[in-house]
Amino acid sequence: MIRRIGLVALVFSLIALPALAGTFSWLDDPQAPGPRTEAVAQGLELTLAPPQMTVKAGEPVHLSIAFANKGPYPLKIVRPLDGTEARWQQPFHDFLAQPEGGATLRRMLMGGRAAKMQALAEDDLLTIEPAQALDPRTGAYAEYLQRIVFPQPGTYKVWYLYAYEAASHSRDVQGQPADDAGAVRGTFTSNAVTVIVQ
């Protein structure tokens, strides 16, 4: 009996290993939209700052992002959710980067982990009042957006992507999703900033 319990415990610990193996890497993303170069769409403006910074290779890069409401009415956006970092569900909150002379890259989750996609909750929707701005990187699943790392030296153009069309149909909780009828839909990108990695 004790041997069987030990075997079951071993199996469950091995199942959890892929979740621990998940790391982030910069990989080509040829479908990624470029940085914002034209007028603000639907009143939502994404601004990344500072305009330029210099870091060492492997050192965390801390950039600020502001989602500003430039329109006359309140806007609703969806904060990062469990699974958004791997694009398992919307919205997509991503940092995109382009080294000089290189292809556009996306910071992607590599390796496995359990998907815990849940129904959209009321506190997943953030309201931005007219003439106000907020940083959407809140909640338990936004840590991957707080800092990014470039392992290789170079000069990178970096921008932020927010894309939302609909709440995911994949859920593991009971009940109906929160009403997201007022959430801004579409693909939005910020201005580009320069990160020099030495």
Side-chain angles (χ1 to χ4, degrees):
M1 182 68 176
I2 294 175
R3 176 180 273 173
R4 184 177 293 170
I5 292 171
L7 181 60
V8 170
L10 176 63
V11 169
F12 279 111
S13 66
L14 291 175
I15 289 172
L17 283 178
L20 299 175
T23 59
F24 285 91
S25 296
W26 291 97
L27 295 179
D28 287 358
D29 189 355
Q31 303 299 317
R36 186 189 76 242
T37 57
E38 47 191 51
V40 175
Q42 300 181 56
L44 181 61
E45 180 184 68
L46 280 59
T47 303
L48 195 61
Q52 182 172 317
M53 66 185 315
T54 301
V55 296
K56 295 178 181 177
E59 180 179 277
V61 179
H62 298 276
L63 296 168
S64 68
I65 181 71
F67 280 42
N69 183 351
K70 299 294 186 177
Y73 306 106
L75 295 176
K76 285 187 179 181
I77 61 164
V78 183
R79 68 178 182 84
L81 305 174
D82 189 14
T84 59
E85 76 284 359
R87 290 198 179 174
W88 289 332
Q89 71 171 337
Q90 294 182 8
F92 301 150
H93 284 265
D94 288 327
F95 276 107
L96 301 171
Q98 186 177 49
E100 283 185 328
T104 299
L105 309 172
R106 179 169 76 89
R107 190 163 176 264
M108 301 175 58
L109 179 70
M110 304 298 295
R113 72 164 180 82
K116 297 179 183 176
M117 293 182 284
Q118 297 179 340
L120 202 61
E122 282 297 328
D123 62 355
D124 294 331
L125 295 165
L126 306 176
T127 301
I128 313 172
E129 298 296 335
Q132 293 189 344
L134 58 77
D135 184 337
R137 300 173 296 177
T138 64
Y141 308 109
E143 185 178 336
Y144 77 103
L145 295 163
Q146 301 298 333
R147 59 194 175 281
I148 56 176
V149 174
F150 291 97
Q152 302 297 326
T155 299
Y156 297 84
K157 182 166 65 172
V158 180
W159 62 100
Y160 195 95
L161 166 71
Y162 172 73
Y164 183 72
E165 291 297 338
S168 170
H169 293 295
S170 300
R171 304 186 179 100
D172 67 356
V173 295
Q174 295 177 349
Q176 297 299 313
D179 179 12
D180 71 340
V184 175
R185 285 167 165 73
T187 299
F188 304 87
T189 55
S190 74
N191 58 301
V193 301
T194 301
V195 178
I196 301 168
V197 182
Q198 299 178 334

